[in-house]
């Protein structure tokens, strides 16, 4: 997850860890890339920000929202800041309280609900898909229909 849009790669072409992926243009003109890893983990990129990544049990494991890098750890959200100390990049983690996490999770639920509505009503334009065959759109709609609202948090930010 890049910090600036100029740092982003062409996700449809280069995000090979997402073995099934689709690029969509929503009626608003916004571009969204959604993809599944081999183990069923889903990632959703609303442009450069926000980004939501889930584990195989539909639990949020990582996010990039409002310029903030977030990870799930022990069922809590943790903000990760990149800073420089003595010329070296250092990651500083700060656990968020339930009160700090609630609006972030509510915002995520809202964005994901809007995406589900757009997809359910056949409103997006498919800009590209890898692999080019199969009904990936229907698979994503089914996944979003069963997602808890708000999303549950994973125990760790990585995948197993």
């Amino acid at each position: 997850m890049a910090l600036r849009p100029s740092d982003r790669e062409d996700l449809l072409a280069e995000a090979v860890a997402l073995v099934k992926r689709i690029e969509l243009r929503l009626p608003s003109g916004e571009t969204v890339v959604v993809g599944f890893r081999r183990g069923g983990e889903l990632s959703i990129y609303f442009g450069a920000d926000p980004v939501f990544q889930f584990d195989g049990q539909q639990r949020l494991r990582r996010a990039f929202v409002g310029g903030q890098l977030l990870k799930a750890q022990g069922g809590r959200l943790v903000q990760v800041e990149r800073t420089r100390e003595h010329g070296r990049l250092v990651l500083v983690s700060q656990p968020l309280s339930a009160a700090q996490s609630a609006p972030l999770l509510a915002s995520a639920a809202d964005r994901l609900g809007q995406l589900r509505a757009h997809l359910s009503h056949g409103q997006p334009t498919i800009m590209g898909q890898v692999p080019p065959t199969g009904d990936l759109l229907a698979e994503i709609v089914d996944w979003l229909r069963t997602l808890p609202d708000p999303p549950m948090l994973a125990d760790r930010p990585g995948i197993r």
Side-chain angles (χ1 to χ4, degrees):
M1 293 182 285
L3 290 178
R4 293 184 306 267
S6 61
D7 294 340
R8 291 273 313 282
E9 69 274 15
D10 176 356
L11 290 172
L12 193 63
E14 298 176 13
V16 296
L18 302 176
V19 295
K20 296 188 292 186
R21 55 197 182 274
I22 191 168
E23 183 175 357
L24 305 166
R25 182 165 313 245
L26 301 180
S28 65
E30 180 178 30
T31 299
V32 179
V33 174
V34 183
F36 287 97
R37 290 177 172 268
R38 194 166 310 284
E41 304 88 0
L42 184 87
S43 295
I44 303 173
Y45 297 80
F46 291 90
D49 186 346
V51 174
F52 303 107
Q53 296 181 337
F54 295 88
D55 67 11
Q57 288 78 46
Q58 292 186 303
R59 298 175 303 186
L60 185 66
R61 63 182 186 86
R62 292 177 23 154
F64 187 72
V65 179
Q68 292 183 305
L69 179 58
L70 304 165
K71 67 179 181 179
Q73 192 167 343
R76 295 180 64 188
L77 277 181
V78 175
Q79 181 178 357
V80 179
E81 291 188 40
R82 296 174 178 149
T83 62
R84 290 225 175 255
E85 290 183 10
H86 309 291
R88 298 185 72 173
L89 181 64
V90 177
L91 300 177
V92 178
S93 295
Q94 176 65 43
L96 300 180
S97 68
Q100 292 169 311
S101 296
L104 293 168
L105 293 172
S107 175
D110 184 54
R111 284 302 294 262
L112 296 168
Q114 289 175 23
L115 177 62
R116 182 181 58 242
H118 285 305
L119 300 182
S120 296
H121 297 103
Q123 295 174 339
T125 301
I126 297 175
M127 306 302 290
Q129 180 177 314
V130 176
T133 58
D135 193 356
L136 185 53
L137 201 54
E139 191 173 341
I140 294 165
V141 169
D142 287 344
W143 191 95
L144 287 168
R145 278 191 187 126
T146 61
L147 182 67
D149 181 8
M152 295 177 59
L153 295 173
D155 292 326
R156 52 186 245 161
I159 56 173
R160 296 180 189 187

